[in-house]
PDB file of all heavy atoms in Angstrom:
ATOM      1  N   PRO M   1       0.823  -1.221   0.013  1.00  0.00           N
ATOM      2  CA  PRO M   1      -0.012   0.018  -0.010  1.00  0.00           C
ATOM      3  C   PRO M   1       0.840   1.273  -0.013  1.00  0.00           C
ATOM      4  O   PRO M   1       0.477   2.265  -0.643  1.00  0.00           O
ATOM      5  CB  PRO M   1      -0.833  -0.188   1.265  1.00  0.00           C
ATOM      6  CG  PRO M   1      -1.001  -1.595   1.441  1.00  0.00           C
ATOM      7  CD  PRO M   1       0.339  -2.184   1.005  1.00  0.00           C
ATOM      8  N   ARG M   2       1.947   1.245   0.714  1.00  0.00           N
ATOM      9  CA  ARG M   2       2.844   2.411   0.703  1.00  0.00           C
ATOM     10  C   ARG M   2       3.378   2.679  -0.675  1.00  0.00           C
ATOM     11  O   ARG M   2       3.404   3.846  -1.169  1.00  0.00           O
ATOM     12  CB  ARG M   2       4.015   2.179   1.650  1.00  0.00           C
ATOM     13  CG  ARG M   2       3.646   2.334   3.127  1.00  0.00           C
ATOM     14  CD  ARG M   2       4.911   2.070   4.047  1.00  0.00           C
ATOM     15  NE  ARG M   2       5.979   3.043   3.693  1.00  0.00           N
ATOM     16  CZ  ARG M   2       7.163   2.938   4.238  1.00  0.00           C
ATOM     17  NH1 ARG M   2       7.448   1.971   5.098  1.00  0.00           N
ATOM     18  NH2 ARG M   2       8.099   3.805   3.933  1.00  0.00           N
ATOM     19  N   MET M   3       3.806   1.682  -1.439  1.00  0.00           N
ATOM     20  CA  MET M   3       4.239   1.821  -2.766  1.00  0.00           C
ATOM     21  C   MET M   3       3.189   2.328  -3.649  1.00  0.00           C
ATOM     22  O   MET M   3       3.356   3.170  -4.537  1.00  0.00           O
ATOM     23  CB  MET M   3       4.938   0.565  -3.282  1.00  0.00           C
ATOM     24  CG  MET M   3       5.551   0.706  -4.663  1.00  0.00           C
ATOM     25  SD  MET M   3       6.230  -0.750  -5.401  1.00  0.00           S
ATOM     26  CE  MET M   3       7.801  -0.762  -4.513  1.00  0.00           C
ATOM     27  N   VAL M   4       1.989   1.718  -3.558  1.00  0.00           N
ATOM     28  CA  VAL M   4       0.855   2.172  -4.355  1.00  0.00           C
ATOM     29  C   VAL M   4       0.623   3.662  -4.196  1.00  0.00           C
ATOM     30  O   VAL M   4       0.402   4.444  -5.130  1.00  0.00           O
ATOM     31  CB  VAL M   4      -0.436   1.382  -4.028  1.00  0.00           C
ATOM     32  CG1 VAL M   4      -1.648   2.012  -4.660  1.00  0.00           C
ATOM     33  CG2 VAL M   4      -0.290  -0.064  -4.523  1.00  0.00           C
ATOM     34  N   HIS M   5       0.626   4.114  -2.927  1.00  0.00           N
ATOM     35  CA  HIS M   5       0.423   5.589  -2.621  1.00  0.00           C
ATOM     36  C   HIS M   5       1.509   6.384  -3.319  1.00  0.00           C
ATOM     37  O   HIS M   5       1.228   7.401  -3.953  1.00  0.00           O
ATOM     38  CB  HIS M   5       0.428   5.815  -1.148  1.00  0.00           C
ATOM     39  CG  HIS M   5       0.289   7.192  -0.736  1.00  0.00           C
ATOM     40  ND1 HIS M   5      -0.890   7.947  -0.849  1.00  0.00           N
ATOM     41  CD2 HIS M   5       1.201   8.128  -0.221  1.00  0.00           C
ATOM     42  CE1 HIS M   5      -0.683   9.196  -0.438  1.00  0.00           C
ATOM     43  NE2 HIS M   5       0.555   9.336  -0.026  1.00  0.00           N
ATOM     44  N   GLY M   6       2.795   5.954  -3.224  1.00  0.00           N
ATOM     45  CA  GLY M   6       3.837   6.651  -3.834  1.00  0.00           C
ATOM     46  C   GLY M   6       3.714   6.635  -5.332  1.00  0.00           C
ATOM     47  O   GLY M   6       3.994   7.708  -6.035  1.00  0.00           O
ATOM     48  N   LEU M   7       3.346   5.552  -5.908  1.00  0.00           N
ATOM     49  CA  LEU M   7       3.192   5.434  -7.372  1.00  0.00           C
ATOM     50  C   LEU M   7       2.064   6.348  -7.856  1.00  0.00           C
ATOM     51  O   LEU M   7       2.155   7.000  -8.941  1.00  0.00           O
ATOM     52  CB  LEU M   7       2.991   3.984  -7.768  1.00  0.00           C
ATOM     53  CG  LEU M   7       2.976   3.618  -9.213  1.00  0.00           C
ATOM     54  CD1 LEU M   7       4.187   4.284 -10.011  1.00  0.00           C
ATOM     55  CD2 LEU M   7       2.979   2.110  -9.455  1.00  0.00           C
ATOM     56  N   LEU M   8       0.957   6.360  -7.150  1.00  0.00           N
ATOM     57  CA  LEU M   8      -0.138   7.219  -7.498  1.00  0.00           C
ATOM     58  C   LEU M   8       0.298   8.715  -7.528  1.00  0.00           C
ATOM     59  O   LEU M   8      -0.041   9.492  -8.404  1.00  0.00           O
ATOM     60  CB  LEU M   8      -1.339   7.020  -6.572  1.00  0.00           C
ATOM     61  CG  LEU M   8      -2.198   5.819  -6.810  1.00  0.00           C
ATOM     62  CD1 LEU M   8      -3.150   5.568  -5.628  1.00  0.00           C
ATOM     63  CD2 LEU M   8      -2.960   5.908  -8.113  1.00  0.00           C
ATOM     64  N   GLU M   9       1.032   9.078  -6.502  1.00  0.00           N
ATOM     65  CA  GLU M   9       1.606  10.460  -6.432  1.00  0.00           C
ATOM     66  C   GLU M   9       2.542  10.750  -7.584  1.00  0.00           C
ATOM     67  O   GLU M   9       2.500  11.863  -8.170  1.00  0.00           O
ATOM     68  CB  GLU M   9       2.295  10.718  -5.073  1.00  0.00           C
ATOM     69  CG  GLU M   9       1.294  10.850  -3.941  1.00  0.00           C
ATOM     70  CD  GLU M   9       1.971  11.307  -2.658  1.00  0.00           C
ATOM     71  OE1 GLU M   9       3.173  11.017  -2.468  1.00  0.00           O
ATOM     72  OE2 GLU M   9       1.341  12.122  -1.926  1.00  0.00           O
ATOM     73  N   ALA M  10       3.438   9.771  -7.937  1.00  0.00           N
ATOM     74  CA  ALA M  10       4.338   9.979  -9.008  1.00  0.00           C
ATOM     75  C   ALA M  10       3.620  10.129 -10.364  1.00  0.00           C
ATOM     76  O   ALA M  10       3.970  10.925 -11.197  1.00  0.00           O
ATOM     77  CB  ALA M  10       5.350   8.816  -9.031  1.00  0.00           C
ATOM     78  N   LEU M  11       2.601   9.277 -10.537  1.00  0.00           N
ATOM     79  CA  LEU M  11       1.813   9.349 -11.838  1.00  0.00           C
ATOM     80  C   LEU M  11       1.070  10.713 -11.929  1.00  0.00           C
ATOM     81  O   LEU M  11       1.044  11.307 -12.984  1.00  0.00           O
ATOM     82  CB  LEU M  11       0.875   8.208 -11.898  1.00  0.00           C
ATOM     83  CG  LEU M  11       1.446   6.848 -12.139  1.00  0.00           C
ATOM     84  CD1 LEU M  11       0.417   5.764 -11.841  1.00  0.00           C
ATOM     85  CD2 LEU M  11       1.940   6.719 -13.580  1.00  0.00           C
ATOM     86  N   ALA M  12       0.559  11.200 -10.773  1.00  0.00           N
ATOM     87  CA  ALA M  12      -0.128  12.446 -10.793  1.00  0.00           C
ATOM     88  C   ALA M  12       0.846  13.575 -11.074  1.00  0.00           C
ATOM     89  O   ALA M  12       0.518  14.581 -11.827  1.00  0.00           O
ATOM     90  CB  ALA M  12      -0.825  12.700  -9.418  1.00  0.00           C
ATOM     91  N   PHE M  13       2.078  13.495 -10.559  1.00  0.00           N
ATOM     92  CA  PHE M  13       3.116  14.494 -10.807  1.00  0.00           C
ATOM     93  C   PHE M  13       3.444  14.517 -12.306  1.00  0.00           C
ATOM     94  O   PHE M  13       3.528  15.569 -12.919  1.00  0.00           O
ATOM     95  CB  PHE M  13       4.337  14.212  -9.969  1.00  0.00           C
ATOM     96  CG  PHE M  13       5.392  15.286 -10.063  1.00  0.00           C
ATOM     97  CD1 PHE M  13       5.350  16.422  -9.325  1.00  0.00           C
ATOM     98  CD2 PHE M  13       6.472  15.124 -10.920  1.00  0.00           C
ATOM     99  CE1 PHE M  13       6.300  17.377  -9.422  1.00  0.00           C
ATOM    100  CE2 PHE M  13       7.448  16.043 -11.065  1.00  0.00           C
ATOM    101  CZ  PHE M  13       7.367  17.191 -10.281  1.00  0.00           C
ATOM    102  N   ALA M  14       3.602  13.366 -12.837  1.00  0.00           N
ATOM    103  CA  ALA M  14       3.942  13.241 -14.309  1.00  0.00           C
ATOM    104  C   ALA M  14       2.791  13.738 -15.143  1.00  0.00           C
ATOM    105  O   ALA M  14       3.025  14.359 -16.191  1.00  0.00           O
ATOM    106  CB  ALA M  14       4.268  11.779 -14.647  1.00  0.00           C
ATOM    107  N   ASN M  15       1.556  13.520 -14.693  1.00  0.00           N
ATOM    108  CA  ASN M  15       0.375  13.877 -15.445  1.00  0.00           C
ATOM    109  C   ASN M  15       0.058  15.365 -15.391  1.00  0.00           C
ATOM    110  O   ASN M  15      -0.780  15.912 -16.184  1.00  0.00           O
ATOM    111  CB  ASN M  15      -0.826  13.114 -14.951  1.00  0.00           C
ATOM    112  CG  ASN M  15      -1.782  12.658 -16.049  1.00  0.00           C
ATOM    113  OD1 ASN M  15      -1.343  12.485 -17.178  1.00  0.00           O
ATOM    114  ND2 ASN M  15      -3.044  12.489 -15.686  1.00  0.00           N
ATOM    115  N   ASP M  16       0.679  16.093 -14.435  1.00  0.00           N
ATOM    116  CA  ASP M  16       0.429  17.498 -14.254  1.00  0.00           C
ATOM    117  C   ASP M  16       1.051  18.262 -15.483  1.00  0.00           C
ATOM    118  O   ASP M  16       2.337  18.207 -15.604  1.00  0.00           O
ATOM    119  CB  ASP M  16       1.029  18.009 -12.949  1.00  0.00           C
ATOM    120  CG  ASP M  16       0.728  19.462 -12.635  1.00  0.00           C
ATOM    121  OD1 ASP M  16       0.500  20.221 -13.570  1.00  0.00           O
ATOM    122  OD2 ASP M  16       0.753  19.859 -11.416  1.00  0.00           O
ATOM    123  N   LYS M  17       0.256  18.873 -16.298  1.00  0.00           N
ATOM    124  CA  LYS M  17       0.799  19.479 -17.484  1.00  0.00           C
ATOM    125  C   LYS M  17       1.807  20.582 -17.155  1.00  0.00           C
ATOM    126  O   LYS M  17       2.702  20.879 -18.021  1.00  0.00           O
ATOM    127  CB  LYS M  17      -0.339  20.092 -18.308  1.00  0.00           C
ATOM    128  CG  LYS M  17      -1.227  19.034 -18.959  1.00  0.00           C
ATOM    129  CD  LYS M  17      -2.332  19.600 -19.774  1.00  0.00           C
ATOM    130  CE  LYS M  17      -3.120  18.547 -20.592  1.00  0.00           C
ATOM    131  NZ  LYS M  17      -3.662  17.503 -19.755  1.00  0.00           N
ATOM    132  N   GLY M  18       1.732  21.165 -16.000  1.00  0.00           N
ATOM    133  CA  GLY M  18       2.670  22.228 -15.624  1.00  0.00           C
ATOM    134  C   GLY M  18       4.090  21.689 -15.439  1.00  0.00           C
ATOM    135  O   GLY M  18       5.113  22.443 -15.461  1.00  0.00           O
ATOM    136  N   ASN M  19       4.251  20.400 -15.339  1.00  0.00           N
ATOM    137  CA  ASN M  19       5.625  19.774 -15.150  1.00  0.00           C
ATOM    138  C   ASN M  19       6.272  19.427 -16.494  1.00  0.00           C
ATOM    139  O   ASN M  19       7.385  18.944 -16.521  1.00  0.00           O
ATOM    140  CB  ASN M  19       5.541  18.573 -14.267  1.00  0.00           C
ATOM    141  CG  ASN M  19       5.184  18.970 -12.826  1.00  0.00           C
ATOM    142  OD1 ASN M  19       5.687  19.996 -12.316  1.00  0.00           O
ATOM    143  ND2 ASN M  19       4.374  18.136 -12.159  1.00  0.00           N
ATOM    144  N   GLY M  20       5.532  19.572 -17.598  1.00  0.00           N
ATOM    145  CA  GLY M  20       6.084  19.424 -18.912  1.00  0.00           C
ATOM    146  C   GLY M  20       6.398  18.036 -19.433  1.00  0.00           C
ATOM    147  O   GLY M  20       7.090  17.875 -20.425  1.00  0.00           O
ATOM    148  N   PHE M  21       5.833  16.970 -18.753  1.00  0.00           N
ATOM    149  CA  PHE M  21       6.050  15.594 -19.298  1.00  0.00           C
ATOM    150  C   PHE M  21       5.088  15.232 -20.385  1.00  0.00           C
ATOM    151  O   PHE M  21       3.876  15.583 -20.298  1.00  0.00           O
ATOM    152  CB  PHE M  21       6.057  14.633 -18.122  1.00  0.00           C
ATOM    153  CG  PHE M  21       7.098  14.872 -17.123  1.00  0.00           C
ATOM    154  CD1 PHE M  21       6.836  15.248 -15.801  1.00  0.00           C
ATOM    155  CD2 PHE M  21       8.473  14.757 -17.460  1.00  0.00           C
ATOM    156  CE1 PHE M  21       7.810  15.450 -14.844  1.00  0.00           C
ATOM    157  CE2 PHE M  21       9.426  15.001 -16.509  1.00  0.00           C
ATOM    158  CZ  PHE M  21       9.177  15.349 -15.261  1.00  0.00           C
ATOM    159  N   ARG M  22       5.565  14.403 -21.290  1.00  0.00           N
ATOM    160  CA  ARG M  22       4.683  13.959 -22.412  1.00  0.00           C
ATOM    161  C   ARG M  22       4.827  12.443 -22.647  1.00  0.00           C
ATOM    162  O   ARG M  22       4.224  11.967 -23.580  1.00  0.00           O
ATOM    163  CB  ARG M  22       5.003  14.729 -23.681  1.00  0.00           C
ATOM    164  CG  ARG M  22       4.633  16.214 -23.557  1.00  0.00           C
ATOM    165  CD  ARG M  22       5.123  17.066 -24.670  1.00  0.00           C
ATOM    166  NE  ARG M  22       4.730  16.646 -25.970  1.00  0.00           N
ATOM    167  CZ  ARG M  22       5.178  17.137 -27.145  1.00  0.00           C
ATOM    168  NH1 ARG M  22       6.078  18.056 -27.095  1.00  0.00           N
ATOM    169  NH2 ARG M  22       4.724  16.684 -28.309  1.00  0.00           N
ATOM    170  N   ALA M  23       5.530  11.738 -21.761  1.00  0.00           N
ATOM    171  CA  ALA M  23       5.584  10.260 -21.825  1.00  0.00           C
ATOM    172  C   ALA M  23       6.178   9.809 -20.517  1.00  0.00           C
ATOM    173  O   ALA M  23       6.857  10.519 -19.801  1.00  0.00           O
ATOM    174  CB  ALA M  23       6.494   9.781 -23.001  1.00  0.00           C
ATOM    175  N   VAL M  24       5.821   8.555 -20.177  1.00  0.00           N
ATOM    176  CA  VAL M  24       6.313   7.952 -18.894  1.00  0.00           C
ATOM    177  C   VAL M  24       6.963   6.638 -19.179  1.00  0.00           C
ATOM    178  O   VAL M  24       6.445   5.836 -20.000  1.00  0.00           O
ATOM    179  CB  VAL M  24       5.110   7.794 -17.922  1.00  0.00           C
ATOM    180  CG1 VAL M  24       5.507   6.970 -16.723  1.00  0.00           C
ATOM    181  CG2 VAL M  24       4.573   9.136 -17.480  1.00  0.00           C
ATOM    182  N   VAL M  25       8.042   6.364 -18.529  1.00  0.00           N
ATOM    183  CA  VAL M  25       8.679   5.031 -18.482  1.00  0.00           C
ATOM    184  C   VAL M  25       8.513   4.549 -16.993  1.00  0.00           C
ATOM    185  O   VAL M  25       8.832   5.260 -16.079  1.00  0.00           O
ATOM    186  CB  VAL M  25      10.189   5.065 -18.798  1.00  0.00           C
ATOM    187  CG1 VAL M  25      10.820   3.699 -18.558  1.00  0.00           C
ATOM    188  CG2 VAL M  25      10.330   5.479 -20.265  1.00  0.00           C
ATOM    189  N   LEU M  26       8.050   3.323 -16.836  1.00  0.00           N
ATOM    190  CA  LEU M  26       7.933   2.707 -15.488  1.00  0.00           C
ATOM    191  C   LEU M  26       8.855   1.453 -15.461  1.00  0.00           C
ATOM    192  O   LEU M  26       8.751   0.579 -16.292  1.00  0.00           O
ATOM    193  CB  LEU M  26       6.495   2.269 -15.274  1.00  0.00           C
ATOM    194  CG  LEU M  26       6.237   1.547 -13.906  1.00  0.00           C
ATOM    195  CD1 LEU M  26       6.575   2.511 -12.701  1.00  0.00           C
ATOM    196  CD2 LEU M  26       4.785   1.065 -13.847  1.00  0.00           C
ATOM    197  N   THR M  27       9.776   1.403 -14.468  1.00  0.00           N
ATOM    198  CA  THR M  27      10.632   0.345 -14.297  1.00  0.00           C
ATOM    199  C   THR M  27      10.863   0.022 -12.849  1.00  0.00           C
ATOM    200  O   THR M  27      10.263   0.631 -11.970  1.00  0.00           O
ATOM    201  CB  THR M  27      12.011   0.626 -15.015  1.00  0.00           C
ATOM    202  OG1 THR M  27      12.747  -0.588 -15.163  1.00  0.00           O
ATOM    203  CG2 THR M  27      12.781   1.693 -14.341  1.00  0.00           C
ATOM    204  N   GLY M  28      11.767  -0.982 -12.515  1.00  0.00           N
ATOM    205  CA  GLY M  28      11.996  -1.287 -11.144  1.00  0.00           C
ATOM    206  C   GLY M  28      13.467  -1.174 -10.809  1.00  0.00           C
ATOM    207  O   GLY M  28      14.362  -1.375 -11.635  1.00  0.00           O
ATOM    208  N   GLU M  29      13.714  -0.742  -9.574  1.00  0.00           N
ATOM    209  CA  GLU M  29      15.100  -0.647  -9.080  1.00  0.00           C
ATOM    210  C   GLU M  29      15.654  -2.001  -8.742  1.00  0.00           C
ATOM    211  O   GLU M  29      14.937  -2.893  -8.239  1.00  0.00           O
ATOM    212  CB  GLU M  29      15.085   0.222  -7.766  1.00  0.00           C
ATOM    213  CG  GLU M  29      16.468   0.477  -7.212  1.00  0.00           C
ATOM    214  CD  GLU M  29      17.290   1.452  -7.999  1.00  0.00           C
ATOM    215  OE1 GLU M  29      16.673   2.247  -8.751  1.00  0.00           O
ATOM    216  OE2 GLU M  29      18.506   1.411  -7.928  1.00  0.00           O
ATOM    217  N   GLY M  30      16.922  -2.188  -9.064  1.00  0.00           N
ATOM    218  CA  GLY M  30      17.575  -3.422  -8.672  1.00  0.00           C
ATOM    219  C   GLY M  30      17.355  -4.600  -9.623  1.00  0.00           C
ATOM    220  O   GLY M  30      17.301  -4.389 -10.833  1.00  0.00           O
ATOM    221  N   ARG M  31      17.171  -5.778  -9.096  1.00  0.00           N
ATOM    222  CA  ARG M  31      17.224  -6.991  -9.928  1.00  0.00           C
ATOM    223  C   ARG M  31      15.929  -7.464 -10.442  1.00  0.00           C
ATOM    224  O   ARG M  31      15.772  -8.549 -11.064  1.00  0.00           O
ATOM    225  CB  ARG M  31      17.911  -8.118  -9.123  1.00  0.00           C
ATOM    226  CG  ARG M  31      17.173  -8.522  -7.873  1.00  0.00           C
ATOM    227  CD  ARG M  31      18.012  -9.488  -6.965  1.00  0.00           C
ATOM    228  NE  ARG M  31      17.353  -9.781  -5.746  1.00  0.00           N
ATOM    229  CZ  ARG M  31      16.564 -10.782  -5.540  1.00  0.00           C
ATOM    230  NH1 ARG M  31      16.212 -11.571  -6.562  1.00  0.00           N
ATOM    231  NH2 ARG M  31      16.037 -10.951  -4.328  1.00  0.00           N
ATOM    232  N   GLY M  32      14.858  -6.675 -10.192  1.00  0.00           N
ATOM    233  CA  GLY M  32      13.528  -7.126 -10.721  1.00  0.00           C
ATOM    234  C   GLY M  32      12.545  -5.974 -10.835  1.00  0.00           C
ATOM    235  O   GLY M  32      12.668  -4.950 -10.155  1.00  0.00           O
ATOM    236  N   PHE M  33      11.549  -6.130 -11.681  1.00  0.00           N
ATOM    237  CA  PHE M  33      10.536  -5.154 -11.833  1.00  0.00           C
ATOM    238  C   PHE M  33       9.600  -5.162 -10.565  1.00  0.00           C
ATOM    239  O   PHE M  33       9.495  -4.173  -9.875  1.00  0.00           O
ATOM    240  CB  PHE M  33       9.680  -5.430 -13.079  1.00  0.00           C
ATOM    241  CG  PHE M  33       8.596  -4.447 -13.356  1.00  0.00           C
ATOM    242  CD1 PHE M  33       8.862  -3.248 -13.955  1.00  0.00           C
ATOM    243  CD2 PHE M  33       7.238  -4.710 -13.014  1.00  0.00           C
ATOM    244  CE1 PHE M  33       7.855  -2.305 -14.225  1.00  0.00           C
ATOM    245  CE2 PHE M  33       6.242  -3.820 -13.253  1.00  0.00           C
ATOM    246  CZ  PHE M  33       6.556  -2.611 -13.855  1.00  0.00           C
ATOM    247  N   SER M  34       8.984  -6.269 -10.300  1.00  0.00           N
ATOM    248  CA  SER M  34       8.215  -6.495  -9.060  1.00  0.00           C
ATOM    249  C   SER M  34       7.870  -7.951  -8.887  1.00  0.00           C
ATOM    250  O   SER M  34       7.473  -8.646  -9.781  1.00  0.00           O
ATOM    251  CB  SER M  34       6.868  -5.669  -9.140  1.00  0.00           C
ATOM    252  OG  SER M  34       6.074  -5.943  -8.017  1.00  0.00           O
ATOM    253  N   SER M  35       8.086  -8.356  -7.619  1.00  0.00           N
ATOM    254  CA  SER M  35       7.874  -9.769  -7.242  1.00  0.00           C
ATOM    255  C   SER M  35       6.395 -10.036  -6.888  1.00  0.00           C
ATOM    256  O   SER M  35       6.042 -11.124  -6.527  1.00  0.00           O
ATOM    257  CB  SER M  35       8.769 -10.170  -6.055  1.00  0.00           C
ATOM    258  OG  SER M  35       8.522  -9.313  -4.978  1.00  0.00           O
ATOM    259  N   GLY M  36       5.521  -9.004  -7.020  1.00  0.00           N
ATOM    260  CA  GLY M  36       4.112  -9.214  -6.698  1.00  0.00           C
ATOM    261  C   GLY M  36       3.765  -8.463  -5.464  1.00  0.00           C
ATOM    262  O   GLY M  36       4.375  -7.484  -5.037  1.00  0.00           O
ATOM    263  N   ALA M  37       2.606  -8.834  -4.815  1.00  0.00           N
ATOM    264  CA  ALA M  37       2.137  -8.143  -3.630  1.00  0.00           C
ATOM    265  C   ALA M  37       3.096  -8.404  -2.460  1.00  0.00           C
ATOM    266  O   ALA M  37       3.678  -9.461  -2.317  1.00  0.00           O
ATOM    267  CB  ALA M  37       0.760  -8.644  -3.288  1.00  0.00           C
ATOM    268  N   HIS M  38       3.257  -7.368  -1.587  1.00  0.00           N
ATOM    269  CA  HIS M  38       3.995  -7.478  -0.406  1.00  0.00           C
ATOM    270  C   HIS M  38       3.171  -8.154   0.691  1.00  0.00           C
ATOM    271  O   HIS M  38       2.520  -7.492   1.473  1.00  0.00           O
ATOM    272  CB  HIS M  38       4.519  -6.113   0.043  1.00  0.00           C
ATOM    273  CG  HIS M  38       5.655  -6.127   1.005  1.00  0.00           C
ATOM    274  ND1 HIS M  38       5.847  -7.150   1.883  1.00  0.00           N
ATOM    275  CD2 HIS M  38       6.677  -5.220   1.180  1.00  0.00           C
ATOM    276  CE1 HIS M  38       6.946  -6.875   2.585  1.00  0.00           C
ATOM    277  NE2 HIS M  38       7.471  -5.708   2.169  1.00  0.00           N
ATOM    278  N   LEU M  39       3.224  -9.462   0.692  1.00  0.00           N
ATOM    279  CA  LEU M  39       2.311 -10.223   1.542  1.00  0.00           C
ATOM    280  C   LEU M  39       2.616 -10.035   3.024  1.00  0.00           C
ATOM    281  O   LEU M  39       1.699 -10.232   3.875  1.00  0.00           O
ATOM    282  CB  LEU M  39       2.372 -11.708   1.226  1.00  0.00           C
ATOM    283  CG  LEU M  39       2.004 -12.102  -0.271  1.00  0.00           C
ATOM    284  CD1 LEU M  39       2.256 -13.559  -0.449  1.00  0.00           C
ATOM    285  CD2 LEU M  39       0.512 -11.713  -0.519  1.00  0.00           C
ATOM    286  N   ALA M  40       3.815  -9.722   3.390  1.00  0.00           N
ATOM    287  CA  ALA M  40       4.189  -9.548   4.798  1.00  0.00           C
ATOM    288  C   ALA M  40       3.825  -8.191   5.378  1.00  0.00           C
ATOM    289  O   ALA M  40       4.062  -7.929   6.539  1.00  0.00           O
ATOM    290  CB  ALA M  40       5.672  -9.823   4.995  1.00  0.00           C
ATOM    291  N   GLU M  41       3.301  -7.305   4.543  1.00  0.00           N
ATOM    292  CA  GLU M  41       3.058  -5.949   4.951  1.00  0.00           C
ATOM    293  C   GLU M  41       1.616  -5.548   4.687  1.00  0.00           C
ATOM    294  O   GLU M  41       1.244  -5.342   3.531  1.00  0.00           O
ATOM    295  CB  GLU M  41       4.001  -4.975   4.267  1.00  0.00           C
ATOM    296  CG  GLU M  41       3.960  -3.565   4.768  1.00  0.00           C
ATOM    297  CD  GLU M  41       5.094  -2.703   4.160  1.00  0.00           C
ATOM    298  OE1 GLU M  41       6.242  -3.008   4.345  1.00  0.00           O
ATOM    299  OE2 GLU M  41       4.695  -1.764   3.408  1.00  0.00           O
ATOM    300  N   SER M  42       0.841  -5.422   5.683  1.00  0.00           N
ATOM    301  CA  SER M  42      -0.580  -4.994   5.570  1.00  0.00           C
ATOM    302  C   SER M  42      -0.874  -3.952   6.612  1.00  0.00           C
ATOM    303  O   SER M  42      -0.547  -4.101   7.793  1.00  0.00           O
ATOM    304  CB  SER M  42      -1.549  -6.183   5.769  1.00  0.00           C
ATOM    305  OG  SER M  42      -2.870  -5.697   5.805  1.00  0.00           O
ATOM    306  N   PRO M  43      -1.460  -2.792   6.204  1.00  0.00           N
ATOM    307  CA  PRO M  43      -1.806  -1.769   7.160  1.00  0.00           C
ATOM    308  C   PRO M  43      -3.094  -2.001   7.941  1.00  0.00           C
ATOM    309  O   PRO M  43      -3.456  -1.253   8.833  1.00  0.00           O
ATOM    310  CB  PRO M  43      -1.871  -0.505   6.307  1.00  0.00           C
ATOM    311  CG  PRO M  43      -2.435  -1.050   5.015  1.00  0.00           C
ATOM    312  CD  PRO M  43      -1.796  -2.438   4.839  1.00  0.00           C
ATOM    313  N   ASP M  44      -3.791  -3.010   7.524  1.00  0.00           N
ATOM    314  CA  ASP M  44      -5.121  -3.250   8.090  1.00  0.00           C
ATOM    315  C   ASP M  44      -5.037  -4.202   9.264  1.00  0.00           C
ATOM    316  O   ASP M  44      -4.333  -5.201   9.206  1.00  0.00           O
ATOM    317  CB  ASP M  44      -6.107  -3.752   7.026  1.00  0.00           C
ATOM    318  CG  ASP M  44      -6.212  -2.765   5.835  1.00  0.00           C
ATOM    319  OD1 ASP M  44      -6.302  -1.579   6.116  1.00  0.00           O
ATOM    320  OD2 ASP M  44      -6.238  -3.240   4.709  1.00  0.00           O
TER     321      ASP M  44
END
């Protein structure tokens, strides 16, 4: 959920026309894009 929140904010920042972006690349840091849901971390 923390990453989802951060990703939503990053997408909104990219989508803000005032920031001058016209394309987005999405990738992962390190050795993988994403291993799936973070099963060990739940805020509920």
Side-chain angles (χ1 to χ4, degrees):
R2 284 179 58 184
M3 182 181 282
V4 167
H5 179 71
L7 188 47
L8 283 169
E9 287 191 325
L11 288 168
F13 185 84
N15 218 28
D16 185 334
K17 290 181 173 56
N19 292 322
F21 296 116
R22 292 168 59 187
V24 170
V25 172
L26 178 63
T27 193
E29 183 72 24
R31 60 190 176 89
F33 181 81
S34 173
S35 57
H38 198 330
L39 300 174
E41 187 173 297
S42 171
D44 302 319

